[in-house]
Amino acid sequence: MIEVLIPTYERAAALAVTLTALAFQTRPPSRIVVSDQSAAPVAEVPEVASVARLLRAKGVGIEFHRNLPRRGLAQQRQFLLDRAREAQLLFLDDDVIGEPWLLGLMGDALARAGCGFVGSAVIGLSFLDDVRPREQAIELWDGPPMPETVLPDRPAWARHRLHNAANLWHVQQRLGATPRAPRLYKIAWVGGCVLYDRVKLIACGGFDFWEGLPETHAGEDVFAQQRVMARFGGAGVIPSGAYHQELATTVPDRAFDVPHRLALA
């Protein structure tokens, strides 16, 4: 069973779209937990409330928690992790649209791989005509993902370019990856849509480093993935099935970038 964990801040309309996609998954989540730091409760916004009713009618539990004052996204994610129950946890950003087969594909991929997490990198569809061959190198896993230490000063860090724009769309089309024939590949990190093995994420500390961070920070998801990947391995999966709504970031100040400031233990 997959539990979906969503941090949100002042994005009611985008969240409603994200939740609608979850309502039509062929393998629905067992529960959705939303950590809300918006000024006004997002659960009371009509668009969100209507989708929440739909989810509950379909048998999917959804909870909205007010999590104030704001103490940064790492705390948001730890707040969600502390409330999670299932073996597989999908950390999903509040501006992602998922294909109906997304959760099923990711859940099966993680179970087969036996690693710490599998990510479905978000694609920016406004870039479909922007083909960037120099950013489309991909390293496929031929076997189960193995532990890797990927740091900002190492060559593997350049793998993140594959997730720019619509690069992944072009690559998965070229390789013929489909939901029935997915492929795992090596990553630096995955943003926006990451399915963790709950036990392995907790064994690596989850997002417990939040207390040592300034309130304004970025890259907390990257650092958590680094820790899990170093111990248990991690991978991206194609086809992605996750699309970015391409909104402006809610964290414009990225001066404190966690993987560039904290050292892996």
Side-chain angles (χ1 to χ4, degrees):
M1 301 295 289
I2 295 177
E3 191 168 15
V4 180
L5 310 176
I6 305 176
T8 192
Y9 172 67
E10 302 295 354
R11 277 183 173 171
L15 177 63
V17 173
T18 297
L19 293 175
T20 300
L22 292 174
F24 292 95
Q25 291 294 303
T26 54
R27 186 184 303 175
S30 63
R31 186 170 72 127
I32 301 168
V33 184
V34 179
S35 176
D36 178 23
Q37 294 189 328
S38 307
V42 72
E44 297 177 5
V45 175
E47 294 89 337
V48 175
S50 65
V51 184
R53 287 192 293 270
L54 174 62
L55 284 159
R56 292 178 182 126
K58 286 172 163 277
V60 178
I62 182 167
E63 300 176 4
F64 294 88
H65 296 270
R66 298 286 284 159
N67 178 22
L68 296 170
R70 294 182 70 201
R71 288 163 287 183
L73 269 169
Q75 187 275 337
Q76 272 271 63
R77 297 186 190 277
Q78 186 63 43
F79 180 89
L80 287 162
L81 180 57
D82 289 342
R83 283 150 184 81
R85 301 192 294 243
E86 297 290 1
Q88 293 187 340
L89 307 177
L90 179 64
F91 275 88
L92 185 66
D93 283 1
D94 60 2
D95 60 346
V96 175
I97 306 170
E99 294 273 12
W101 42 260
L102 177 63
L103 267 61
L105 180 145
M106 295 185 76
D108 288 345
L110 182 59
R112 286 195 302 266
C115 56
F117 68 88
V118 168
S120 192
V122 294
I123 296 169
L125 292 177
S126 68
F127 294 91
L128 278 185
D129 295 329
D130 182 2
V131 181
R132 307 177 181 186
R134 294 183 180 179
E135 295 184 353
Q136 293 180 6
I138 187 169
E139 303 171 71
L140 297 171
W141 283 107
D142 293 325
M146 302 300 293
E148 293 187 284
T149 300
V150 179
L151 300 173
D153 60 352
R154 297 191 181 179
W157 197 254
R159 296 171 183 168
H160 74 85
R161 297 193 185 104
L162 177 61
H163 296 163
N164 290 343
N167 289 333
L168 204 59
W169 175 275
H170 301 133
V171 170
Q172 66 193 30
Q173 296 290 313
R174 185 175 74 240
L175 295 179
T178 69
R180 292 190 177 186
R183 302 294 302 272
L184 298 181
Y185 64 95
K186 300 179 182 182
I187 57 169
W189 74 85
V190 178
C193 184
V194 181
L195 183 67
Y196 288 95
D197 180 304
R198 178 176 176 271
V199 171
K200 291 171 181 171
L201 176 58
I202 291 174
C204 296
F207 300 86
D208 61 0
F209 52 89
W210 76 267
E211 294 187 85
L213 304 181
E215 178 183 316
T216 301
H217 57 260
E220 78 297 328
D221 51 343
V222 177
F223 189 69
Q225 289 174 45
Q226 285 180 290
R227 299 206 296 184
V228 175
M229 197 157 40
R231 185 168 173 185
F232 298 109
V237 62
I238 51 173
S240 163
Y243 308 100
H244 205 297
Q245 295 186 41
E246 302 187 53
L247 304 178
T249 179
T250 58
V251 187
D253 183 352
R254 311 184 77 82
F256 195 101
D257 193 356
V258 180
H260 292 269
R261 298 295 190 102
L262 300 188
L264 292 179

